[in-house]
Amino acid sequence: MLGVGSRKTAVVSSKAHARKAAGEGSRAAVLSLYAVPPTEELSLQEFEELALKRVQLLKAIAAAKAVGKSGKELSLAVGKAVDAFLPFRATSRDEAEREDHISHFILRLAYCRTEELRRWFLTHECELLRWRIGRESPAAVEAFLARENLNYPSLTNEELARFEAQLTTISTIMKRKDDRAALAQAAESSLASLKTTGKLAKDAGGVGGGIRLTAGSYFKVPFEQAIELVQRRQVFVNGGWAYVRRKDMVAIVVAEFRSRLSRSLAVASKALPQLSEDERVVPLLTNLSRQYLGPDYSKTKVEGAISLDQIDTLAKRSMPLCMSNLHSHLRSAHHLKHGGRRQYGLFLKDIGLSMEDSLNFWRAEFTQMMTLDKFSKSYAYSIRHNYGKEGRRVESRAFSCVRIITANAPGPADHHGCPFRHFSPEKLAHTLTAKGVGGAGLKEILNLIAGHHYQIACTRYFELTHPDAETVQPIEHPNAFFTQSEAYWRAKQGSSGEEAKPKLRLASWAVC
Amino acid sequence: MSDTPPANATSSPSPMSPEKDESRGTKRRVDEVVAGEASQVNVAPTELSDEFPELLRFYYSRLFPFAPFFEWLSYGDVSGTSVAAATGLGAAGVGEAAAGGRGDGMGLQGSYVSRREFSFTLEDDVYIRYQSFASAAELEAEIRKKRPFKIDIGAVYNAPPKDHKTIPAGAFKPLEKELVFDIDMTDYDEVRTCCSGADICTKCWPFMTIAIRVLDTALREDFGFEHLLWVYSGRRGIHCWVCDPRARALSQNGRSAVAEYLNLIRGSEDSGRKVFVTTPMHPSVERAAAVVEEYFEELVLEEQGMFGCAERWDKILPLISDESARAGIRNALIQQDGDNALGVWEGIKDMYAQNSYRSADLTEIMLQFCYPRLDIHVSKGLNHLLKSPFCVHPKTGRVCVPLDPARVADFSPFDVPTVSQLAAELTEAAKAPAPSADEPSPMDVASQSGRAYSLTSLKPYFGYFENVFLKSLLASIREIKQEAAIREGVIDF
Ligand SMILES: [Zn+2]
């Protein structure tokens, strides 16, 4: 049955199982760009097991990135996840490859259906590949490149002589950048800091900081395939070629994989509707794709559960910092940019603001800055779209913390994102103080964000603003923060018998 | 993402990102009006004489270079696929943006140029998207009939844009477009003192000269592009169309990368330091800095007088990172004898030479005040429309003319003819008699060959386009085709 799907998603290549030949004798881990789909039959049970393993692996990678891990820390986390879910077994290399291969292709089917799923799958598959390449020897990487038909010319001696000055310049820039990154990383833990900075100092002083260039230490890559390096000006570009350092080739290969996989997913998504031959597979795939998104609050919300007149009160007492921040910017500037409209709009939808109320809410603010006509033309559409009343008529779901923290970082005039992740410590401290969080609690939160523990910091913020809350669930979703908070306040009201009916705020919503 | 901007009722996908209107704030301009927005901007020129439509009719019937224009956009293709696709040159650039656009089983319908989107903005503010033309004659007839105030050029799709409604949703896709750059003098308002907004003068035009020199060199040397069409927009900016096959085949991500690589000015209006350079500088930045240095003193210190008063030097001083150095310079400026900007600048350079201040400061100052200010959104989008060369700008009446980057220092926007001037010139030229009774008049000769422009002051601009730009473009396309044919064994030796 997997064979059915595979034919449809096949990427052109006739070199079946070239990996076997090249893998002989090497004890390297699984390394593949998955050019050839599997052809074997497998049981439904194995199908499900393998798929779940890989989903868990990718989820573990996503979680590590969500808490801000990078560099060595991320590498450790990925390694742990691989060991836990798709371990390389020294005794049976073939079996490990088989599992890796099949599970990758099952997830292609599960994650090709929407752009958001594709992006998630792509991002974390790329991270996995990056990790795998990173721990190979140069020889193994070269063998892998050859086997995947990625042949880039290395520099001739003549080119080396011609561009020596430029290449040395880039090397120096990159070395300084790497050193800075290493220092920053080392500063993370004081113990590591002692070791690494000592080593760095030695490096810099010892060999006189000299950089030796050899022709073989560079590859010539068409600039279109080195766009990340080009974009950041981290590569010498001449005559349409990017002169890529050997150690930067990982980025090139990962980018190439990303682009190939992206194309394959697009093809697979078109083939998917015809894949209903085995009806047992479809619900499995659907279920798999749901795995990463966290709970779907659009399914459990009660439309109209909250009304316009409550929003200001709710923003103050029950919304997570990311949302109350958006709310106050909207109230004061009467405008939010795209990212903010989307993050806040979907949140409001899934805590139960009806579409009518939503339209009224945004209109009341935006029309203080623009004509009603402009609002109706430019903004009302996307609000209805959020509710699944426009376009593809699919209701969008509120963003999870992982999504808010990792995707679409806010630009200069943006207010979306996660304050714990995206605010400067000063601004965060200021904001928290305004929310009544100070002293030891504030210090604790700032320490948490210094260690990139954004969600834990948010959870701590919840605890501090909800004293004596019974059991606080770790915050993984803004809507969960909200629900948890509302439950808390309801319980409080119940016990104290206070009437805390929110006051009307007439000034801005009673228009149009 | 699924959150698309509101589509105009008559035209489905908007070519602009949802952020577009916001990010440029008040800087939106008529040049940029695209689908779904035309109704909000008054396209009809208010300052213009009532004669404009009539002059436009004259321009389209006598001077618009339909044949070479169409030949350019045909890129040597009359059959079906582009040269880029035929030779596989495009394959390298296919990234995620184009994923599913090619190779998904849907064949290409019609020649390269017939799949190109044109859009017209008409006199009465009507905006028509998804026009496409199979032949030069068709294009000519339609333009003469509609007499658009503005013509925009969009992407090449997988099917003729005029048929887009007959194609199943999602199957109509942009495949290629020139890599374009848009530089607008409005974006220089914080570094110029002579004019603001839409105005330009001879004091600020050198900013555009710098932009052309810097970008032209980088695009040629770094990226290996050869066919760069530089165009004066007719009012206050310039456009660049990079026409090489590899540039046209670039994915959205590839376009972003090139645009970001070339973009040094970052941050919003209120961020002080907008340029950060590494030490040592990237070779491309270093080369640009050398060009900028040639102009900085005369343009920024003398012409624009950025050291002329406190309000102006307060834009420069924050970029001096050492506090005591900054205080010293401020003092020197306050006490300068009359206008001694150059003297002060020399003093600053000496100070930096003698002390261990952050040496990148001075380069960053020069770059921040002179480096090209790109509207990178225009470059990034595969389906972003850009005003076509050879249009007439409805506000100034000037023709949007190609210009020769090798002679950019000689170009002056004030020499570019207006349509009314052209009408007069052509009337005058018509008076020239035939050499003899049985020979045609010079006007007859020029009109016969479709080159009436050669009798007007358009001659150097249109002549450059036909005889230099187009000629070399077509020659290299022939070469590519020949090589491809040899590779495939079509030609035997
Ligand atoms: Zn001026």
Side-chain angles (χ1 to χ4, degrees), chain A residues 169 173 176 224 230 233 235 237-240 258 262 335 337-338 341-342 374 377-379 382 385, chain B residues 1-4 6 19 21-22 39 96 104 221-223 246 253 260-261 263-264 279-282:
Chain A
T169 298
I173 296 172
R176 290 189 179 161
E224 295 93 335
V230 170
R233 247 179 267 121
V235 68
V237 188
N238 185 273
R258 191 184 171 93
S262 170
H335 191 263
K337 293 191 63 168
H338 178 74
R341 297 198 299 273
R342 196 133 162 87
K374 163 104 180 147
K377 272 190 181 136
S378 311
Y379 299 99
S382 59
H385 192 281
Chain B
M1 289 260 346
S2 56
D3 193 14
T4 45
E19 290 298 296
D21 57 336
E22 301 172 344
S39 57
E96 279 161 50
D104 58 356
E221 288 188 7
D222 298 355
F223 294 97
R246 254 173 103 171
N253 291 343
E260 295 285 2
Y261 176 90
N263 183 35
L264 287 186
T279 312
M281 272 182 268
H282 187 281

Side-chain angles (χ1 to χ4, degrees), chain A residues 46-60:
Chain A
E46 194 180 17
F47 180 101
E48 193 172 5
E49 274 172 17
L50 287 180
L52 253 163
K53 280 184 186 173
R54 200 176 190 96
V55 169
Q56 284 172 301
L57 168 56
L58 297 184
K59 272 179 78 173

Side-chain angles (χ1 to χ4, degrees), chain B residues 194-195 200-201 204:
Chain B
C194 51
C195 337
I200 57 167
C201 71
C204 50

Side-chain angles (χ1 to χ4, degrees), chain B residues 210 213 288-299 366:
Chain B
I210 298 176
R213 280 189 59 189
V291 174
V292 161
E293 200 172 353
E294 285 176 37
Y295 291 84
F296 178 78
E297 293 178 8
E298 189 182 333
L299 175 58
M366 290 190 278

